[in-house]
Amino acid sequence: MDQEFNIRGITNTRLDSPSADQSIGIFIDDVYVGRSGLLNSDFFDVERVEVVRGPQGVLLGRNVVGGAISIYTAKPEEDFGGAFTAEFGNYDSQLFNGHVTGTIAENLTGRLSFQSRKHDGYNKDLTLKRDLDNLDSFQARAQLMWEPDGADLTIRGIVDYSDDSSNGIHRVAIDDPNAAGQGPWSTTRDAISALLPGGLDIRESLPQSYRYTGDNSDQSQVLRREAIGVTLDIEKGFGDIATFRSITGYRTAEAYSMYDQTGIGYRNGFGVTPTPLAFSFPVLEDEEITQITQEFRLLSNGDGPLNWLVGAYIQEDDVDKFDKYLAEVPLTVLGTLSGESHWINNGETSSRAVFGQVGYEFADQLRGTVGVRWSQDEKTGTVSGLQIQTGDRYNPTDTVPLSPLITPFTDVAYSQTTEEVTPQATLEWEPNDSILTYLTYSHGYKGGGFEDTPANPAAATTPYNPETVENIELGLKLDLLDGRARLNTALFSMKYKDLQVTQTDDGCLCNITDNAADANIMGIETEMQWVVNDDLFLFGAVTLLDTEYEDFVDSNGLDNSGNELQRTPNYQFNIGGEYTADFLGNPDALTLRLSYAAQGELYWLPDNFQKEEAYGLIDGRVTYAPQDADWSVSLWGKNLADELYRTNIIAFLGDEVSTLGAPRTYGISFGYQF
């Protein structure tokens, strides 16, 4: 259910250790959201979204190494008003959202927003006869904003809540074409498929229910996540001197998930004896998260050539994480691989930073900025790794579960403190109102960390190093055709040192994070917008990347040097248009929008064995909204060509156990505003 954000070849990939930092920073109303369990990415009532590409080592509160996505929610307004939307589609999808805003008392405004989304699953669990990848989500946000007369003061308070649940994810085993012979789980699927009229569809799987030690009943796949956030944003102006801003954030969440990593097991209900090694391997994760952030900024005012900004940032994270792995294997197949491994990982992160930036306008056409940031991350915690005797149906007297995948240990302490100075400089030249060129150097940093599920005490106390990046970027922004067209182009080169790479190791059936010695990313991005006439608007963008690991030998001794970065397509592009026409006697009442987004092939892992072929997705929307009406109606569709693509794989013993993207969805939407 979590989304992986990718900017310029850098991806947030399964970084769920209590000590892990994200490569792509997510900010909501300038508050950093450090863990996926704190975030519901189904954003609503949004004013704007800003994407900052490349490392940001100075501003944005928290330093980020790959880029940032900043979500700014709509603020309260003085005039009373609101809007509501009701949407219905296939897979019995239902969406209801809306907001109400207005003045509550003198100088005090408020806004209340909500969103509810439900849909049936895109995939099927044949064992328990239920949907997978379904969704039941609710979100709400309440705001108050106080702006007293003559005080040059704004105080904005925000409280948000989200709760979403699902029956869990669909996992389907596909034979790895790079491996000798056929994998065990895909072979078992083929045997079951042969028994069914019409066969076993790729969107059908057979995950099973399991009973962990200490549980009273069998558990099946499930995902639950609940989060609460509080933000206090205070902005105070001091005339022509400066503006002070304080941004305080508190977020807490609990995330619980259980899923069958292979999507099929021995108790398949079809009388099929699975291929040897096609064992069941469910995973349970339970995580409680608390995050507190505080940022102070002092920004200069005035119209002179010199401007400046100074600030400080504090972040405290407390993450309690409980992981359970269960292997259910008949003794005749792999008797030692059975039972449970448990990890209790309690981690704390304290981050500190001070930063500053100075800008100067040398001439009307030439200006520059330089900035620097000092960051420190202290990561501490304790972790226990336990072997649990399960007495499962295949191994009732099992005394050495999961041997030798884990050596038991209790309350092993880990600790790491790192710091980095990250400078940034930009020079801008604007010869006229239609041309802007810039040259930027930036240095990015991301703290180190420790493994989520270490196999032994040595692994528990061995950190992976921080990663750093140096980025050089040359950009050009053009306004063309009397301002009706805009073209933005950027050339960039990023050199990473100690790039953190997380991948699944099928030797220990666990995730391992390594530091690639170095990695290089070179690329070009171009974006275009063109208002052809009053009725037609065209847009498009393309990104071309050349990526490479340098001198990267992972912890298993596999040499990945010279390979392309994992999960990074060598090209991405989107193109689309919007056409407005008169309809039913109403001028400019009908809007047709069509877009196509495509990406090239990518390799799922640093070894560059498994890959995803290039694919593209078509989305469309038709909206009827008379200019003098307070209502609208839209027909929409996503992935209109019903393209089959994958969002994740785990390479296991000759199989690619895959997660599929959403199929074709479509529906109708009704909007009302007042």
Side-chain angles (χ1 to χ4, degrees):
M1 301 292 292
D2 295 332
Q3 293 190 8
E4 293 184 355
F5 299 98
N6 185 305
I7 297 179
R8 290 184 174 176
I10 299 299
T11 305
N12 288 346
T13 308
R14 300 192 303 279
L15 295 170
D16 60 354
S17 163
S19 59
D21 292 335
Q22 300 298 315
S23 299
I24 306 301
I26 307 297
F27 298 80
I28 300 179
D29 292 319
D30 288 322
V31 173
Y32 175 69
V33 182
R35 299 189 65 80
S36 60
L38 294 168
L39 176 70
N40 188 324
S41 57
D42 189 15
F43 304 119
F44 70 107
D45 197 23
V46 170
E47 177 184 278
R48 69 186 190 278
V49 177
E50 297 180 359
V51 178
V52 182
R53 300 176 175 92
Q56 302 302 310
V58 177
L59 305 181
L60 292 177
R62 176 73 169 176
N63 53 284
V64 294
V65 73
I69 301 174
S70 295
I71 313 298
Y72 292 95
T73 62
K75 296 179 180 180
E77 302 171 20
E78 292 184 0
D79 295 334
F80 176 75
F84 294 95
T85 299
E87 186 174 284
F88 306 92
N90 62 334
Y91 295 97
D92 199 23
S93 68
Q94 303 174 39
L95 168 68
F96 302 97
N97 65 26
H99 76 270
V100 177
T101 186
T103 298
I104 298 174
E106 185 178 0
N107 303 321
L108 182 66
T109 56
R111 190 180 187 102
L112 182 63
S113 314
F114 78 95
Q115 177 161 288
S116 172
R117 185 188 296 273
K118 297 181 180 180
H119 65 71
D120 292 343
Y122 302 136
N123 305 291
K124 296 293 182 181
D125 172 356
L126 296 185
T127 305
L128 298 179
K129 298 180 174 56
R130 62 178 194 157
D131 290 346
L132 296 175
D133 293 302
N134 61 317
L135 179 65
D136 189 346
S137 173
F138 177 78
Q139 301 176 77
R141 183 186 306 119
Q143 301 183 64
L144 290 175
M145 190 162 68
W146 184 49
E147 297 177 290
D149 292 337
D152 197 6
L153 173 68
T154 300
I155 300 177
R156 182 186 180 197
I158 308 170
V159 178
D160 63 81
Y161 172 81
S162 66
D163 184 356
D164 55 293
S165 62
S166 167
N167 291 338
I169 59 175
H170 171 66
R171 304 288 287 164
V172 55
I174 299 172
D175 182 48
D176 184 351
N178 299 289
Q182 186 170 0
W185 293 283
S186 61
T187 299
T188 303
R189 281 184 56 89
D190 288 349
I192 295 173
S193 182
L195 301 177
L196 299 176
L200 188 64
D201 190 82
I202 195 170
R203 292 194 176 275
E204 296 174 328
S205 59
L206 299 103
Q208 299 167 11
S209 60
Y210 302 89
R211 181 173 298 180
Y212 283 94
T213 301
D215 295 329
N216 296 322
S217 60
D218 285 355
Q219 299 187 49
S220 55
Q221 296 208 149
V222 65
L223 170 66
R224 297 194 302 269
R225 184 168 50 190
E226 185 177 25
I228 298 174
V230 180
T231 302
L232 179 62
D233 189 340
I234 302 173
E235 185 172 308
K236 169 62 178 174
F238 296 96
D240 294 334
I241 302 173
T243 297
F244 172 78
R245 190 175 178 198
S246 169
I247 307 168
T248 307
Y250 170 82
R251 302 192 73 83
T252 184
E254 181 173 1
Y256 176 93
S257 68
M258 178 180 174
Y259 60 95
D260 187 343
Q261 291 200 94
T262 63
I264 196 169
Y266 276 81
R267 294 172 283 115
N268 53 64
F270 290 91
V272 172
T273 301
T275 301
L277 296 181
F279 52 87
S280 301
F281 198 67
V283 171
L284 183 151
E285 297 183 355
D286 193 356
E287 183 177 40
E288 295 182 2
I289 314 161
T290 300
Q291 175 184 287
I292 299 174
T293 61
Q294 176 64 60
E295 182 181 0
F296 298 111
R297 302 178 190 171
L298 190 63
L299 175 66
S300 66
N301 294 334
D303 300 326
L306 179 69
N307 62 81
W308 51 267
L309 180 150
V310 294
Y313 179 79
I314 300 172
Q315 178 179 328
E316 298 287 342
D317 290 356
D318 189 341
V319 181
D320 296 331
K321 196 162 185 288
F322 184 25
D323 291 84
K324 292 184 180 182
Y325 290 2
L326 186 153
E328 190 178 79
V329 187
L331 286 167
T332 56
V333 176
L334 199 63
T336 59
L337 184 62
S338 64
E340 298 176 28
S341 293
H342 292 189
W343 287 269
I344 304 169
N345 199 332
N346 303 317
E348 296 182 1
T349 297
S350 295
S351 299
R352 305 286 186 270
V354 292
F355 52 89
Q357 181 172 284
V358 176
Y360 190 79
E361 186 173 326
F362 301 100
D364 291 341
Q365 297 83 23
L366 185 65
R367 54 188 175 268
T369 59
V370 294
V372 66
R373 178 190 186 96
W374 171 82
S375 303
Q376 182 187 74
D377 296 308
E378 181 182 359
K379 301 186 177 183
T380 59
T382 60
V383 58
S384 299
L386 309 175
Q387 291 180 338
I388 307 298
Q389 179 180 348
T390 61
D392 66 43
R393 68 201 71 207
Y394 295 115
N395 304 278
T397 60
D398 187 14
T399 58
V400 190
L402 283 184
S403 176
L405 300 184
I406 182 174
T407 301
F409 56 93
T410 304
D411 292 333
V412 171
Y414 56 83
S415 178
Q416 181 193 54
T417 299
T418 60
E419 60 183 58
E420 188 78 10
V421 175
T422 53
Q424 183 168 315
T426 299
L427 187 65
E428 296 180 350
W429 181 49
E430 191 174 8
N432 55 55
D433 293 339
S434 300
I435 301 175
L436 170 65
T437 63
Y438 65 89
L439 177 65
T440 293
Y441 167 82
S442 56
H443 183 93
Y445 154 80
K446 182 175 75 167
F450 296 84
E451 296 292 356
D452 187 31
T453 53
N456 51 60
T461 57
T462 303
Y464 51 85
N465 296 325
E467 72 178 41
T468 59
V469 59
E470 292 188 353
N471 174 63
I472 298 177
E473 181 174 337
L474 177 64
L476 173 66
K477 298 183 178 182
L478 297 176
D479 286 338
L480 306 169
L481 303 177
D482 296 326
R484 291 188 294 108
R486 171 165 292 179
L487 182 69
N488 298 334
T489 296
L491 298 168
F492 55 89
S493 173
M494 298 189 292
K495 293 185 177 295
Y496 279 83
K497 181 178 177 57
D498 288 328
L499 178 68
Q500 296 167 11
V501 180
T502 301
Q503 55 184 321
T504 300
D505 181 346
D506 61 5
C508 68
L509 302 178
C510 58
N511 293 331
I512 291 179
T513 300
D514 291 307
N515 288 106
D518 293 291
N520 295 330
I521 301 175
M522 297 184 65
I524 180 173
E525 294 173 334
T526 299
E527 300 173 340
M528 179 274 297
Q529 296 178 333
W530 181 20
V531 180
V532 181
N533 52 45
D534 292 342
D535 300 326
L536 181 62
F537 170 65
L538 301 177
F539 58 88
V542 61
T543 300
L544 305 176
L545 295 176
D546 181 16
T547 68
E548 181 184 23
Y549 292 115
E550 291 189 12
D551 304 322
F552 178 23
V553 179
D554 66 25
S555 55
N556 290 322
L558 183 62
D559 189 353
N560 300 303
S561 303
N563 291 349
E564 297 180 20
L565 267 63
Q566 66 172 345
R567 299 169 180 258
T568 302
N570 49 17
Y571 72 82
Q572 292 176 292
F573 73 86
N574 68 79
I575 189 171
E578 186 172 286
Y579 180 73
T580 303
D582 300 341
F583 190 69
L584 298 179
N586 294 296
D588 298 330
L590 190 68
T591 302
L592 295 85
R593 185 181 180 92
L594 190 68
S595 64
Y596 177 72
Q599 68 175 44
E601 70 176 23
L602 61 80
Y603 292 104
W604 288 108
L605 296 169
D607 57 24
N608 285 188
F609 291 157
Q610 294 82 20
K611 69 179 181 180
E612 188 74 4
E613 300 294 343
Y615 66 88
L617 304 177
I618 303 173
D619 297 340
R621 176 179 287 266
V622 179
T623 300
Y624 177 54
Q627 292 183 353
D628 56 352
D630 52 13
W631 57 268
S632 64
V633 60
S634 300
L635 299 175
W636 56 267
K638 298 180 179 180
N639 189 10
L640 290 171
D642 202 18
E643 181 78 15
L644 184 67
Y645 63 100
R646 299 181 293 180
T647 59
N648 185 38
I649 78 154
I650 297 178
F652 270 166
L653 304 176
D655 272 330
E656 297 175 354
V657 185
S658 306
T659 304
L660 305 180
R664 178 194 296 119
T665 56
Y666 52 85
I668 186 170
S669 177
F670 303 94
Y672 174 74
Q673 60 183 6
F674 58 93

